[in-house]
């Protein structure tokens, strides 16, 4: 069926929720990965209800039209990019909080609510939802679930998979499924909730979620910042903190290039050449004592250490880490990568990054969520944006990334700790999964979506 | 193919690992649910290696013979019961710990190791694996994973799903898949590890697992025991503890019939008629202060409270709860049920249990993991065991259980919090999942097992 006929059917069913303005179509081509789809989608549907999503998918199934679900478009792997012949289905407008239960420590939400908006509302009940991707001010809960997002607090407070009790999903044919439980425990049948978490739009459209909440943590937040002569020493110091048995809420590592770029951006005195930094926070009733213990461990590991028991001063120390992305933009265009390795392999992974830089003549400033072994190497390059402001990474950058991915796999790690596969990493997926598992996963998507209209060309 | 031919092929491939002794075949018919399969399996294969499991499944696939995987046979839903025409595949003998990494807080184990044996070995490294089903001294890690087991500590320390990084699984056709990660974070493709957890032998045979460990919790263990005039007041008191924001490690509730039976068994003074009890433990550096806070909450909720800061005295208090199963055996034969409801619905669920007792003239002593809303109603009946010592629950007991299951679902709960569906609850599964999800789950099992030879007749 022609694109025009599909759009006509969408308009008939969904009226002015169907947007074909050039600006909307161009926006739907790209997320924040730097990658954009070839061509533009045929329409953006701004769904306002579950019924809108169902209507869109029924038309998509009847016409064999691919559907790419989109939240706030902050993904870093191209998973929400919609291209020629596709419908971009935005659930950003479905942003209500339907229920908050302090006694059951759960909330029921629509997918389009921003993570930070949800947490602002939950704070009034003394509650919070722990997943805290760095994008939390601009990314949606539905997108966090669809990508299986992580964040800074994961080593102590878990990832999205640990914080979702159930999801409501519309299948390719428009049927609505309610998966999971409202209970803490529940083992009836297969755990399809976990299967949908991180499935990047390939199994269905998430139209609602029952979230597992925590009570706000009472007590202080203390912050420890420590500089080390080089990144390997800093990585070993972070391992010593983990080995000490004290569990920080946040443990961020910045290598020399990252630290220097942020200091330049913020007009701070330049760090010593080669110096790397750990920024660590503790929280809860024992935060002060834990921060002091960590400070001792870091000093023993060769760090120059500053400790703050003041929450605001701590935020100033952490601001250096939070300025990473703007600092990278001052260096050029960035491909943000996301490998994860066993914690013990962090020093070796930094060695591998240095090797790739040296052998391939590329600059890869790297920050890491050191408490859980998740590294974000930033590949810097120069490139002109195309007419839509989108910049593609050149081949030599992808070759360097390939080298780095394979090193992570050799160290027992994974291609992506928290960003997802999307379009950017699908060519490496079978290397990690093996061909048998890759095919099995593909067949599972076909059970949910026999026609293959949900986010085709993504992940697999 | 005849059973004799299948057994001959098994013997050819696996030699004396194939056991057709009458005792072994009878044992394989039943777990600890009280239910047994009709007839006996054709053979028990005592696998000693992954290769043994693969060889068994290749023969099963070639001959179209059903395979029922078995660990220690301590399940409570009949999931491991093998009957006529089936192979019972025991992985109990695969019980090695292959790797313990304190720095990465993980262990790699074979499936047949007992939970308690694993934890004894991990304690030497200052580590533990948190899942603690009441059966932990006699149940295997593989069985804990296959059923998605829970336990007493779940509200604070999570369930099995939260404590497994990866699983190695042999598919029906004998192929070995390595699922999951050795990293804390990882979102490459679909989360098949979670799908296998709780799949009760329907997707593949778990032959290895990478477990997420915790450091042993430093500090004290304190215990609070409180009696209340009736079970509803006790349930409301447990909700008040949860609402206070203090997180106990254990919070167990016993109703009047349970408490009276245990006191009789242990020769303790009879409790006041109708009295119910909460037994609560706190752990970690703040255990003492938390126990005192909880004691105040319980007194405010109408309880008569005893607090112990002594670990051994605490174990004595908790021994009353741990004597539940032997105490039930003094009352008759027991069908142990396992509904879970949102924590706020606990008082209402106890009202429903009282209603079912009253309307149907049955006795249902009930204990609950009150911190997470998981109740174990024990239906008591008199019945003669069959020639193999197996006792089937009579129809009027199942009718009462049906009444109770439907009440749990009405309250937003689930059929099974931690025991699984097995054979005992499959007739209610579609009631909870809905027909669409039930069919979808069934189709997913077919992707793993096209012939349907893995644990047929279980779950679905």
């Amino acid at each position: 069926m022609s694109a025009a006929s599909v759009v006509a059917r969408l308009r008939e069913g969904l009226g002015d929720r169907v947007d074909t303005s050039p600006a909307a179509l161009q926006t739907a081509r790209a997320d924040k990965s730097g990658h954009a789809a070839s061509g533009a989608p045929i329409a953006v549907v701004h769904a306002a209800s579950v019924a809108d999503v169902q209507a869109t998918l029924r038309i998509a199934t009847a016409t064999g039209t691919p559907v790419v679900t989109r939240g706030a478009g902050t993904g870093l792997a191209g998973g929400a990019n919609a291209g020629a012949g596709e419908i971009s289905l935005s659930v950003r407008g479905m942003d209500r909080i339907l229920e908050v239960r302090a006694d059951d420590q759960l909330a029921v939400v629509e997918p389009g609510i921003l993570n930070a908006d949800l947490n602002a509302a939950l704070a009034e009940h003394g509650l919070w939802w722990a997943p805290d991707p760095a994008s939390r001010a601009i990314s949606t809960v539905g997108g966090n679930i669809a990508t299986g997002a992580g964040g800074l607090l994961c080593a102590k407070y878990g990832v999205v998979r640990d914080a979702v009790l159930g999801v409501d999903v519309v299948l390719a044919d428009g049927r609505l499924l309610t998966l999971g439980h409202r209970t803490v425990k529940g083992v009836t049948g297969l755990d399809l909730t976990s299967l949908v978490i991180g499935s990047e739009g390939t199994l269905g459209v998430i139209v609602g979620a029952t979230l597992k909440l925590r009570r706000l943590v009472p007590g202080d937040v203390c912050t420890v910042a420590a500089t080390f002569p080089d990144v390997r020493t800093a990585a070993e110091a972070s391992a010593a903190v983990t080995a000490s048995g004290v569990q920080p809420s946040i443990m961020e590592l910045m290598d020399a290039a990252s630290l220097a770029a942020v200091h330049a951006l913020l007009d701070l005195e330049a760090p010593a050449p080669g110096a790397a930094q750990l920024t660590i926070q503790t929280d809860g009733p024992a935060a002060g004592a834990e921060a002091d213990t960590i400070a001792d461990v870091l000093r023993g590991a060769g760090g120059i250490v500053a400790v703050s028991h003041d929450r605001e001063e701590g935020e100033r120390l952490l601001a250096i880490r939070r300025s990473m992305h703007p600092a990278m933009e001052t260096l050029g265009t960035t491909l943000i990568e996301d490998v994860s390795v066993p914690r013990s392999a962090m020093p070796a992974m930094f060695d591998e990054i240095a090797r790739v830089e040296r052998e391939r003549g590329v600059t890869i400033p790297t920050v890491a969520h050191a408490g859980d072994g998740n590294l974000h190497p930033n590949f810097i390059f120069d490139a002109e944006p195309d007419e839509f402001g989108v910049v593609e990474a050149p081949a030599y950058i992808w070759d360097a990334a390939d080298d780095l991915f394979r090193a992570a796999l050799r160290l027992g790690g994974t291609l992506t700790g928290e960003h997802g596969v999307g379009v950017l990493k699908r060519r490496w997926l079978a290397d990690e999964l093996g061909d048998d598992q890759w095919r099995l996963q593909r067949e599972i998507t076909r059970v949910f979506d026999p026609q293959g209209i949900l986010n085709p060309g993504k992940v697999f």
Side-chain angles (χ1 to χ4, degrees), chain A residues 69-438:
Chain A
T69 308
R70 187 179 183 88
T74 62
L76 292 169
N81 297 358
E86 299 182 325
I87 298 167
S88 173
L89 173 56
S90 170
V91 294
R92 177 69 181 89
M94 296 171 63
D95 62 357
R96 290 180 302 163
I97 299 172
L98 301 176
E99 188 181 357
V100 177
R101 288 295 295 254
D103 48 1
D104 291 325
Q105 289 175 223
L106 65 81
V108 181
V109 302
E110 291 186 331
I113 189 168
L114 297 183
N115 180 312
D117 290 349
L118 170 65
N119 275 302
L122 292 176
E124 295 172 23
H125 301 268
L127 298 168
W128 63 301
W129 190 53
D132 72 323
S135 62
R136 65 187 186 282
I138 54 170
S139 65
T140 65
V141 170
N144 296 166
I145 296 171
T147 54
L152 276 62
L153 297 164
C154 300
K156 183 163 185 178
Y157 293 112
V159 292
V160 164
R161 174 188 161 191
D162 305 312
V164 178
L165 295 169
V167 287
D168 298 336
V169 172
V170 175
L171 297 180
D173 61 12
R175 279 179 298 161
L176 174 66
L177 293 187
T178 301
L179 309 178
H181 304 282
R182 285 173 66 91
T183 50
V184 177
K185 289 176 180 168
V187 290
T188 28
L190 302 177
D191 183 1
L192 297 192
T193 302
S194 292
L195 197 67
V196 166
I197 294 169
S199 64
E200 301 187 47
T202 63
L203 301 183
V205 179
I206 297 167
V207 294
T210 303
L211 306 177
K212 186 175 172 180
L213 307 179
R214 291 173 178 271
R215 289 186 181 282
L216 287 172
V217 178
D220 297 326
V221 172
C222 296
T223 308
V224 185
T227 51
F228 295 86
D230 56 72
V231 72
R232 196 175 216 287
T233 311
E236 286 166 351
S238 79
V241 171
T242 300
S244 76
V246 177
Q247 179 64 64
S249 55
I250 288 176
M251 182 155 63
E252 295 292 310
L253 192 161
M254 299 180 75
D255 74 355
S258 305
L259 196 60
V262 170
H263 276 237
L265 177 78
L266 300 180
D267 272 335
L268 300 171
E269 193 184 338
Q277 181 164 304
L278 276 177
T279 311
I280 298 176
Q281 286 194 328
T282 57
D283 65 0
E290 290 177 353
D292 294 341
T293 302
I294 287 171
D296 288 342
V297 171
L298 297 177
R299 280 187 204 103
I304 299 167
V305 181
V307 181
S308 169
H309 289 205
D310 179 77
R311 196 183 280 249
E312 281 184 27
E313 192 189 336
E315 277 308 307
R316 278 196 298 277
L317 289 169
L318 202 58
I320 291 179
R321 165 62 182 90
R322 293 202 195 277
S323 300
M324 179 68 185
H325 290 306
M328 289 301 100
E329 286 171 7
T330 66
L331 300 183
T333 306
T334 308
L335 172 70
I336 305 172
E337 277 313 327
D338 176 41
V339 295
S340 208
V341 295
R343 284 172 279 219
S344 61
M346 287 260 299
M349 191 66 220
F350 275 105
D351 290 346
E352 292 282 355
I353 293 168
R355 177 188 61 74
V356 173
E357 285 188 306
R358 199 169 58 237
E359 290 180 3
R360 295 180 177 271
V362 292
T363 304
I364 317 175
T366 299
V367 292
H369 307 309
D372 55 36
N374 184 201
L375 299 95
H376 294 305
N378 288 255
F379 291 81
I380 309 291
F381 57 96
D382 285 316
E384 287 300 307
D386 72 7
E387 59 183 311
F388 310 114
V390 170
V391 186
E392 297 284 342
Y396 79 95
I397 289 291
W398 279 116
D399 290 344
D402 173 81
D403 197 346
L404 189 140
F405 293 159
R406 292 182 196 282
L409 294 181
R410 277 196 306 274
L411 290 169
T414 176
L415 285 174
T416 173
E418 57 188 15
H419 293 172
V421 176
V423 283
L424 263 61
K425 282 182 219 171
R426 60 187 168 167
R427 65 178 124 156
W428 290 276
L429 185 63
D431 291 332
E432 179 170 335
L433 299 184
D435 289 340
D436 283 343
Q437 190 187 162
W438 188 93

